[in-house]
């Protein structure tokens, strides 16, 4: 009974010598095909190496020796499949596969001013901070186009001043509006509609006060609104719900912008001839400063050109040699305002607001005092 189950196995003995026959051919061909394919891959890898490194493998060697040494045997690939993944075959390592569209590098994106995104975060610094770290100056001068606008506005002030005070108010109001907007943007506060509107309203109030009181009462008409606007700004900032640092920063920016807009009213309080001389001198000085010259030479040329313009316009208005003093003094203040508008890598908007208005606004007190 125990030997009966083993009788069929003895019946299979005649088939052992008949392994090359047709019944076992498909299985053997299947296994032989796999081995042949694997051997073909090894042979291709060996042939490529022989063609590429011919001087190194000049010595004759058994054809299967390099393949046997470098190939990955099937038992190894079955037992440790990760080895084949981490260490590719030589034919795959040295072959040059066709470019894959999916792995092709993406087209370069336009520069946005920020660095690449990272998982750990990327510190974003301003252009001025980067310039300081690289040892460069954080100064960008407005250039010729803002200088032309400054010269145009200065010529409008110089032409309308002898006509009447009401004619002078038109370019003066434009100057005050550009000053208020440019100062806030220069300090990095944008949008700041309430602060800009408050500063501009202070300048308009001072203009109305001077027109009502007259040039003789100009000091009181200018200093009165200045003090009132400082207190008004202080009260508004105290009512703000922002953090203390933000409120202090907003307070200083609003007070400074209001003061500049109100001080520009000095053109109304000064003598019309002095306004013509000072505004013309500022226009010439800013144009000379925008010329492509070294900074020291440009400053000297600007002062000399302003003094010459003061003498020329002073001769036409009757001020004479005093026009040179007014022109040179106004040019010094204009260059200071020009420098302030160039600080801390300003934007194009800053150049066309603060860069245009600050030279003329900074020169207003000197023209008012020296008239």
């Amino acid at each position: 009974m125990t030997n009966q189950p083993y009788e069929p196995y003895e019946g299979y003995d005649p088939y052992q010598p008949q392994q090359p026959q047709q019944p076992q051919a498909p299985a053997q061909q299947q296994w032989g095909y796999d081995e042949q394919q694997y051997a073909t891959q090894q042979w291709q890898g060996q042939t490529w190496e022989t063609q590429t490194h011919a001087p190194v493998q000049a010595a004759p060697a058994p054809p299967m020796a390099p393949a046997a040494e470098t190939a990955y045997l099937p038992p190894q690939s079955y037992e440790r499949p990760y080895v084949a993944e981490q260490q590719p075959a030589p034919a795959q390592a040295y072959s040059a596969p066709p470019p894959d569209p999916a792995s092709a590098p993406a087209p370069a994106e336009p520069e946005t001013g920020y660095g690449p995104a990272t998982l750990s975060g990327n510190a974003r610094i301003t252009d001025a901070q980067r310039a300081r770290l690289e040892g460069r100056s954080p100064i960008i001068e407005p250039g010729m186009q803002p200088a032309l606008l400054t010269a145009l506005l200065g010529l409008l002030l110089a032409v309308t001043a002898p006509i009447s005070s009401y004619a002078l108010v038109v370019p003066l109001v434009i100057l005050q509006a550009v000053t208020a907007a440019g100062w806030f943007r220069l300090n990095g506060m944008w949008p700041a509609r309430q602060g800009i509107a408050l500063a501009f309203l202070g300048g308009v109030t001072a203009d109305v006060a001077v027109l009502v009181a007259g040039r003789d009462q100009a000091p009181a008409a200018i200093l009165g609104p200045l003090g009132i606007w400082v207190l008004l700004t202080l009260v508004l900032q105290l009512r703000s719900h922002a953090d203390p640092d933000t409120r202090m920063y907003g307070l200083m920016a609003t007070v400074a912008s209001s003061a500049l807009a109100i001080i520009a009213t000095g053109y109304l309080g000064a003598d019309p001839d002095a306004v013509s001389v000072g505004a013309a001198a500022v226009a010439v000085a800013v144009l000379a400063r925008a010329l492509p010259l070294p900074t020291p030479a440009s400053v000297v040329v600007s002062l000399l050109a302003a003094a010459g313009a003061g003498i020329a316009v002073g001769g036409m208005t009757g001020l004479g040699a005093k026009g040179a003093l007014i022109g040179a003094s106004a040019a010094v203040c204009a260059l200071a305002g020009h420098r302030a508008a160039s600080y801390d890598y300003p934007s194009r908007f800053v150049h066309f607001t603060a860069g245009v208005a600050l030279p003329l606004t900074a020169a207003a007190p000197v023209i008012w005092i020296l008239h």
Side-chain angles (χ1 to χ4, degrees), residues 105-144:
E109 297 181 357
E111 255 182 67
T112 57
Y114 299 113
T118 58
L119 296 177
S120 59
N122 185 20
R124 295 176 176 178
I125 60 176
T126 62
D127 292 337
Q129 293 173 344
R130 184 181 295 108
R132 292 189 185 96
L133 292 176
E134 295 176 358
R136 296 183 285 110
S137 174
I139 299 295
I140 294 181
E141 297 180 357
M144 183 57 71

Side-chain angles (χ1 to χ4, degrees), residues 67-90:
E69 294 177 359
T70 58
Y72 295 94
L73 298 178
Q76 296 179 359
S77 62
Y78 294 146
E79 295 176 3
R80 303 178 63 184
Y82 66 92
V83 176
E85 296 177 0
Q86 295 179 358
Q87 299 179 359

